[in-house]
Amino acid sequence: MDYKRFALIAALAIVSYLLLLEWNQDYPASPAPAPAPITSSETSRPVPSSDVPAVVSETGSQAPALDLPQPPASASSPAEENGRQSSSLITVTTPVHIVAIDLNGGDIVGVSLPQYPTTLETPEDPLVLLRNDARGIYIAQSGLIGRDGPDATADGRPVYQSARQHYQLDDAEGELSIDLTFTDRNQVNITKRFTFHGDDYLIGVQHLVDNRSNMPWNGNLFGQIKRDGLPDPSTAGGVGVRAYLGAALTTNDDPYKKIDFDDIDDGPSKDVVDGGWIVFSQHYFLSGWIPDQGLTHTYTTRKNASGDYIMGFVSPEFSVAPAETASFDASFYAGPKDQYRLEEISPNLGLTIDYGWLWFIASPIFWLLTKIDSVVGNYGWSIIFLTIIVKLLFSYLSAASYRSMAKMRRLGPQIARLKDQYGEDKQKLMQAQMELWRKEKVNPMGGCLPMLLQMPVLLALYWVLNESVELRHAPFILWYRDLSVMDPYFVLPLIMGATMFISQTLTPMTTMDPVQAKVMKFMPIIFTIFFLWFPAGLVLYWLVGNVFNIFQQWYINKKVDESYAAKGS
């Protein structure tokens, strides 16, 4: 059996298959229009069918799931009816957030991120993460349900009161607390307190129940994310990779459980988890609820009658005695996928930065890349230095492979004579070749190692570039303003293809049969086509690696030729 041919074809098939998988992710099905910054007028869309989760009471009866009603009717001018202004909204501006909160239920119905522009061409337009307008619905809801919870009554959601309509925090190291108040018909005072930090994307959401009635107050805390099925807006405005879009949570058995739109379409899910969290993940950004880690919560995903996807949690029932006050806390994260910050917030939350099945390679690569960038200050040059370090780590194995390839090249004339001698007798030709290889101490499989060894690193770096928000809009030199997207002029891919061709000229072809030789000749073309639409940072890594390989292979070929010349052969 021709093991060399089998290995070459298998390696080519694996490379082509893996690259094809990534190619299929490069084009979103239908790019969404670039979103605009949040304003009060754009977040005034009524919420006709946002389901409040059902809760089983102590008697075993289940409260029905209720659709959130529209905001209470009031006299309005034509301008207000057209959505120019909504008195039910308050806005909060911090150095990292622009947030809109609907007093009807106290839901977060809009979040923009001032430190992350939508595009490089519009640096003044912050990326819109959460919204509730004609362009889409993606909101964070929370409240109190159960026997006495105001969010589960026939009257609809509680309408909170706020001292002001706009709040602002200018200090990056400061803290801002906003209280929304509501009193139910039994004179139970409920305060919904939002706590913002000028340098953090984690928002505290606290419900304080002051029971001034003469009966115990029982209820459950819930938090949920409601989103429509529109594509990921953070990839709009150009060609980009398609990252995971959907819900995720951690469970007692699975630290990172994905539940995408198709899974929710198949039916609701339910998980009872100690502590835990539930998030909605999109390209580079994340929103999610992190309830009290000391309690056991019920996490669910479902789809409502309007086709919106809902993912959230319900905490255990708690009781507040008459004349007592109790606090029930959760946190809501709305911001970038900052790996190290997410790991600080809750166990396993850092796994939402999805590096795929090669996470054990991608995580060290990301760590090393950030360490290099902390010194260099430019991710393009950091990728170059990272490539050199990786190549140096593989240099010993690569050198052994290149020496084997160089010896194979030197054996080319002898292999040609054996082919003339044995003609069509493939079995005798193979036996003669094997004897020659053993005599010259040549491993015919050695030349395949460099590519096979680099493929896991290549794919791991691909996921690092895809998932790491630090590389979003990261510039390099010249026209390379964003290494996470394709080269707009295809210069790097074409140069990369040229380096593959040069490397191929240093590889022995005379020892291959015609089919193998033709396959190898097409490799630079195949790779160039694939890399045309790959992130520029990935192409830069592959290009620098090829240049390193060329110099290493040229040097080893030179040494092998000198060795054979010294032997007189």
Side-chain angles (χ1 to χ4, degrees):
M1 181 178 181
D2 190 344
Y3 291 101
K4 183 178 179 182
R5 176 188 294 180
F6 175 79
L8 179 62
I9 295 176
L12 179 59
I14 293 172
V15 170
S16 300
Y17 174 71
L18 292 174
L19 289 176
L20 184 60
L21 289 180
E22 305 306 331
W23 167 273
N24 287 334
Q25 298 184 55
D26 278 349
Y27 294 96
S30 57
I38 288 179
T39 65
S40 296
S41 63
E42 291 183 326
T43 54
S44 58
R45 172 186 176 187
V47 184
S49 61
S50 184
D51 296 347
V52 173
V55 177
V56 178
S57 67
E58 293 180 351
T59 61
S61 63
Q62 179 168 299
L66 301 176
D67 287 343
L68 295 185
Q70 297 186 15
S74 60
S76 60
S77 66
E80 289 171 333
E81 292 174 356
N82 290 331
R84 294 184 183 177
Q85 184 62 39
S86 173
S87 60
S88 69
L89 294 181
I90 65 170
T91 58
V92 184
T93 302
T94 76
V96 298
H97 279 140
I98 302 174
V99 177
I101 300 175
D102 192 343
L103 294 177
N104 184 41
D107 299 329
I108 299 176
V109 295
V111 173
S112 292
L113 308 177
Q115 296 187 5
Y116 291 89
T118 302
T119 66
L120 285 171
E121 290 71 28
T122 58
E124 70 285 354
D125 294 336
L127 182 135
V128 176
L129 185 59
L130 271 63
R131 70 187 322 139
N132 182 36
D133 55 26
R135 295 173 182 164
I137 180 170
Y138 180 10
I139 61 178
Q141 301 172 290
S142 61
L144 300 172
I145 54 178
R147 192 189 74 182
D148 301 313
D151 290 275
T153 67
D155 297 333
R157 304 290 299 285
V159 179
Y160 288 94
Q161 302 296 318
S162 173
R164 298 164 57 187
Q165 192 169 9
H166 179 71
Y167 298 84
Q168 184 155 343
L169 173 64
D170 296 321
D171 185 1
E173 298 181 356
E175 179 179 303
L176 173 65
S177 291
I178 298 171
D179 285 353
L180 309 183
T181 57
F182 170 78
T183 302
D184 70 9
R185 63 183 63 184
N186 296 317
Q187 298 306 306
V188 176
N189 295 331
I190 296 174
T191 300
K192 190 168 188 176
R193 179 172 295 162
F194 293 90
T195 303
F196 298 87
H197 300 272
D199 59 351
D200 198 357
Y201 293 91
L202 190 66
I203 303 170
V205 183
Q206 185 180 36
H207 288 76
L208 298 98
V209 178
D210 180 9
N211 186 3
R212 297 186 180 182
S213 70
N214 57 4
M215 296 287 293
W217 187 99
N218 287 20
N220 304 70
L221 175 67
F222 85 94
Q224 63 187 29
I225 296 169
K226 176 184 173 183
R227 190 188 188 278
D228 53 30
L230 291 178
D232 187 343
S234 60
T235 59
V239 178
V241 294
R242 185 186 296 181
Y244 173 68
L245 183 72
L249 69 155
T250 187
T251 71
N252 296 338
D253 300 321
D254 188 349
Y256 180 51
K257 179 180 178 180
K258 293 181 180 179
I259 306 177
D260 60 23
F261 288 153
D262 291 338
D263 295 328
I264 302 177
D265 288 336
D266 293 337
S269 69
K270 177 180 177 181
D271 292 276
V272 179
V273 182
D274 300 327
W277 44 261
I278 190 164
V279 303
F280 185 84
S281 177
Q282 68 183 53
H283 197 197
Y284 293 133
F285 300 97
L286 185 78
S287 68
W289 284 104
I290 306 96
D292 189 334
Q293 297 298 285
L295 300 176
T296 299
H297 309 278
T298 300
Y299 293 88
T300 60
T301 62
R302 62 196 187 279
K303 192 174 181 179
N304 67 10
S306 299
D308 297 318
Y309 298 91
I310 299 174
M311 56 219 73
F313 74 91
V314 176
S315 296
E317 185 179 60
F318 53 84
S319 181
V320 183
E324 289 190 359
T325 301
S327 172
F328 309 96
D329 304 341
S331 297
F332 180 71
Y333 185 88
K337 293 181 179 178
D338 183 333
Q339 177 172 326
Y340 300 119
R341 176 62 184 126
L342 293 176
E343 290 174 351
E344 293 173 352
I345 293 173
S346 181
N348 302 322
L349 190 56
L351 296 178
T352 54
I353 302 175
D354 190 358
Y355 290 143
W357 58 277
L358 288 171
W359 59 268
F360 57 93
I361 299 176
S363 293
I365 287 178
F366 174 76
W367 176 85
L368 180 58
L369 185 62
T370 55
K371 292 300 181 183
I372 296 173
D373 185 70
S374 66
V375 177
V376 176
N378 181 289
Y379 272 106
W381 292 109
S382 298
I383 290 173
I384 292 175
F385 287 118
L386 172 68
T387 308
I388 295 173
I389 292 174
V390 170
K391 289 299 180 182
L392 289 174
L393 292 175
F394 286 133
S395 61
Y396 179 79
L397 291 176
S398 298
S401 299
Y402 291 144
R403 278 192 293 270
S404 177
M405 294 169 65
K407 291 179 180 179
M408 290 287 290
R409 182 174 57 85
R410 295 291 305 186
L411 294 178
Q414 298 182 54
I415 295 294
R417 286 195 295 268
L418 291 177
K419 290 180 179 180
D420 293 338
Q421 178 179 350
Y422 293 103
E424 298 298 322
D425 193 336
K426 298 293 185 181
Q427 183 175 359
K428 288 186 178 180
L429 175 60
M430 178 57 63
Q431 291 174 349
Q433 285 180 340
M434 293 293 290
E435 181 62 29
L436 178 62
W437 289 334
R438 279 194 295 267
K439 177 182 176 182
E440 296 293 334
K441 299 180 180 180
V442 173
N443 180 8
M445 297 291 294
C448 300
L449 282 176
M451 179 178 294
L452 295 179
L453 289 173
Q454 291 181 64
M455 284 311 301
V457 178
L458 170 69
L459 293 177
L461 183 60
Y462 182 96
W463 277 310
V464 168
L465 293 175
N466 181 29
E467 280 291 303
S468 301
V469 70
E470 291 83 359
L471 292 171
R472 181 181 184 265
H473 296 173
F476 179 36
I477 57 174
L478 301 176
W479 58 84
Y480 297 102
R481 302 173 60 197
D482 187 352
L483 290 171
S484 67
V485 300
M486 56 177 277
D487 183 342
Y489 303 110
F490 305 117
V491 173
L492 280 179
L494 293 176
I495 296 177
M496 187 276 301
T499 60
M500 287 194 69
F501 177 78
I502 295 172
S503 179
Q504 194 178 80
T505 62
L506 301 174
T507 304
M509 293 287 187
T510 56
T511 59
M512 302 180 184
D513 62 31
V515 175
Q516 291 172 321
K518 288 181 180 178
V519 170
M520 290 302 296
K521 287 181 180 179
F522 276 104
M523 287 294 287
I525 299 175
I526 294 173
F527 268 74
T528 300
I529 293 174
F530 273 120
F531 275 74
L532 286 176
W533 288 273
F534 273 24
L538 180 70
V539 183
L540 179 63
Y541 164 81
W542 199 248
L543 169 60
V544 175
N546 283 350
V547 173
F548 189 97
N549 292 342
I550 288 172
F551 280 103
Q552 186 180 22
Q553 193 170 2
W554 170 82
Y555 177 78
I556 290 175
N557 285 350
K558 181 173 178 293
K559 288 297 182 181
V560 170
D561 289 343
E562 291 174 353
S563 175
Y564 273 88
K567 295 178 181 178
S569 56

